[in-house]
Amino acid sequence: MKIKNICILGAGTLGSRVALQAAISGYIVTVYDVEQKSLDFSLATMQKLLGQFHKSGQLSKGQEREVLGRIKFTLDPMEAVDDADFINESVTEEADVKKKVWRQFGKIAPKKTIFTTNTSYMLPSMFAEDSGRPTRFCAFHFHDVFYSRVVDIMPHPGTDPSLIPLLEDLGRKLNQVPVTLKKENPGYIFNTMLMALIGAAGKLLTGEVASIEDIDRSWMVNFHMPMGPFGILDSIGLDTAWHVTHKMPDRASVAFAALLKTYLDQGKLGEKTGEGFYSYPNPKYKAQDFVK
Amino acid sequence: MKIKNICILGAGTLGSRVALQAAISGYIVTVYDVEQKSLDFSLATMQKLLGQFHKSGQLSKGQEREVLGRIKFTLDPMEAVDDADFINESVTEEADVKKKVWRQFGKIAPKKTIFTTNTSYMLPSMFAEDSGRPTRFCAFHFHDVFYSRVVDIMPHPGTDPSLIPLLEDLGRKLNQVPVTLKKENPGYIFNTMLMALIGAAGKLLTGEVASIEDIDRSWMVNFHMPMGPFGILDSIGLDTAWHVTHKMPDRASVAFAALLKTYLDQGKLGEKTGEGFYSYPNPKYKAQDFVK
């Protein structure tokens, strides 16, 4: 089958970025959300990104208009899925919300539609049955679409295997590098490794082995990377990190979750609140003398 | 005190690189080993590196000669430590060998000498007493000196704290970024985090979640890095990785050590043997289409 019409459920940051990339790649895109202010946010997010792409010479003003011309925003579920070949769901990361959305859209979507969830830490098998079409259901997970261009393709045990090559092809057309999981795994591939790195950094900190700065410095200098684990945590958001960490049973995770909680209680969630392990907009780790 | 004369014990790859950097930084360097062929290897290693620095325009031929003029090679322990202000020990990574070396050199080094070990996975407290001068003893650990320019400064509980600023200063003069540990930790800072990353990658592989290639791809593309965990493992050496992993008690490490052992048994130790997770000199992950 040929994918032409893409429907994005959930007009948050990631959903908006996926929608924009899909329109840049030439697809007809419909963005659905339950509130008008979410759709307004989505359009503003896209316009800001297009402004950056224009500035860096990636897209002309004419191309910008064409791209936006391929995107429709709607509060109407029927309009959202009308003739959709492919749905990517990016609604709130709560199981009950996702289940409800899939029960609703599973009923009204055309027979041909492929169902995918963009969940970060849940598993497609949690929603596949709710959609009413488990064989057509798979996880299709983006990172940030434009800088980190990996798309994870993660089937659940009931996914029709013939969907996989189709999704790999779509991933490439969306300018992503597809990676395919052989089985379900919370956190896919990259987040599993990233959480291990962050867990080790957290253990070094809570075990009072080294300072935040020296831990980041070690990573940055040895790997020539622009940030270390605590800078990465600030950009992910300390609330998200706590959300993942506080359920882990091992002693190091418990200690690190407790430390994260002290930041959360002070409203320090990282870059987005201006304060986390570092202070923004000019965190210490970006200073020239940090790695000297 | 002012450091002028540096003694390097052990003329292997890392010792030779530290010695060369010390001479480039203007220190008078003596390289000691027990076999002439090791000293010959050391000089050849340095000449190869100097050739690269000359080619890239970092050093002139005249400077090369000056640098080599500051380095002396010797099989004589007395000559090695004569007037040494600072010793960095890089002998074989075996506790008994290191203990023996420190018992020997602790007796003959001048009173002023600072003792440091460049061990990768052992702790300075294992050898401090053998040196006879535990307060003057500290770990001073390099990564690869020229690309990964972190030097770990790791005191044991008996190290005189006044040594630390002196070693931090020396680290900077050796063109490294010093990071200081507040207490002993096997693997220092960076290797602790790297082993956590590699452990998570190993678990994804032995758990049959994804392929070697897709695991590496996820890391490389999301972080814009030139290699992923299995590429890194090939460059570290699968024997070294097995050495560290096979002692860990958790189920994932046991499974990964068992997998590494199947490579070792076939003589596949990574880049140095031409075969590991990838084949060299042109591993798949370096191909242009690997991240497409």
Side-chain angles (χ1 to χ4, degrees), chain B residues 130-203:
Chain B
D130 294 292
S131 77
R133 305 182 208 167
T135 60
R136 305 281 288 167
F137 197 95
C138 191
F140 195 71
H141 170 249
F142 293 83
H143 290 261
D144 81 354
V145 183
F146 297 107
Y147 179 82
S148 295
R149 297 184 306 101
V150 167
V151 65
D152 297 295
I153 297 166
M154 185 166 78
H156 68 95
T159 305
D160 178 351
S162 73
L163 273 191
I164 306 301
L166 221 145
L167 292 174
E168 288 174 341
D169 181 55
L170 177 64
R172 286 191 195 94
K173 287 191 174 133
L174 293 172
N175 199 31
Q176 307 295 299
V177 177
V179 295
T180 303
L181 286 88
K182 297 173 194 167
K183 59 170 77 158
E184 287 190 314
N185 187 58
Y188 303 90
I189 302 173
F190 177 76
N191 286 356
T192 297
M193 297 191 283
L194 181 63
M195 287 314 296
L197 164 64
I198 284 175
K203 195 174 169 183

Side-chain angles (χ1 to χ4, degrees), chain B residues 52-215:
Chain B
Q52 290 171 13
F53 300 156
H54 178 67
K55 221 171 160 179
S56 64
Q58 291 168 269
L59 286 177
S60 68
K61 279 281 165 201
Q63 287 171 313
E64 270 186 53
R65 270 190 301 273
E66 273 177 40
V67 166
L68 284 177
R70 284 195 281 272
I71 305 173
K72 191 166 64 184
F73 298 89
T74 182
L75 296 167
D76 176 2
M78 293 305 290
E79 192 184 359
V81 295
D82 175 50
D83 207 26
D85 298 305
F86 175 87
I87 293 179
N88 190 232
E89 166 271 308
S90 288
V91 305
T92 313
E93 198 74 352
E94 284 173 31
D96 288 345
V97 177
K98 287 191 191 288
K99 281 166 108 50
K100 198 179 140 197
V101 165
W102 281 114
R103 277 195 296 265
Q104 177 184 13
F105 284 88
K107 285 196 194 89
I108 59 174
K111 282 269 169 293
K112 64 174 180 177
T113 315
I114 297 171
F115 291 167
T116 65
T117 175
N118 195 3
T119 179
S120 288
Y121 290 101
M122 290 185 254
L123 300 174
S125 58
M126 294 166 68
F127 321 112
E129 294 297 335
D130 294 292
S131 77
R133 305 182 208 167
T135 60
R136 305 281 288 167
F137 197 95
C138 191
F140 195 71
H141 170 249
F142 293 83
H143 290 261
D144 81 354
V145 183
F146 297 107
Y147 179 82
S148 295
R149 297 184 306 101
V150 167
V151 65
D152 297 295
I153 297 166
M154 185 166 78
H156 68 95
T159 305
D160 178 351
S162 73
L163 273 191
I164 306 301
L166 221 145
L167 292 174
E168 288 174 341
D169 181 55
L170 177 64
R172 286 191 195 94
K173 287 191 174 133
L174 293 172
N175 199 31
Q176 307 295 299
V177 177
V179 295
T180 303
L181 286 88
K182 297 173 194 167
K183 59 170 77 158
E184 287 190 314
N185 187 58
Y188 303 90
I189 302 173
F190 177 76
N191 286 356
T192 297
M193 297 191 283
L194 181 63
M195 287 314 296
L197 164 64
I198 284 175
K203 195 174 169 183
L204 288 168
L205 183 63
T206 59
E208 294 180 2
V209 172
S211 67
I212 290 166
E213 288 79 8
D214 275 350
I215 294 169

Side-chain angles (χ1 to χ4, degrees), chain A residues 143 147-148 150 177 180-183 185 189-190 193 196 200 204 207-210 214-215 221-222 224-225 291, chain B residues 143 147-148 150 177 180-183 185 189-190 193 196 200 204 207-210 214-215 221-222 224-225 291:
Chain A
H143 291 260
Y147 179 83
S148 295
V150 167
V177 177
T180 303
L181 285 89
K182 297 173 194 168
K183 59 170 77 158
N185 186 58
I189 301 172
F190 177 76
M193 296 191 283
L204 288 168
E208 296 180 0
V209 172
D214 275 350
I215 294 169
V221 174
N222 274 340
H224 295 231
M225 283 190 68
V291 290
Chain B
H143 290 261
Y147 179 82
S148 295
V150 167
V177 177
T180 303
L181 286 88
K182 297 173 194 167
K183 59 170 77 158
N185 187 58
I189 302 173
F190 177 76
M193 297 191 283
L204 288 168
E208 294 180 2
V209 172
D214 275 350
I215 294 169
V221 175
N222 274 341
H224 296 231
M225 283 189 68
V291 290

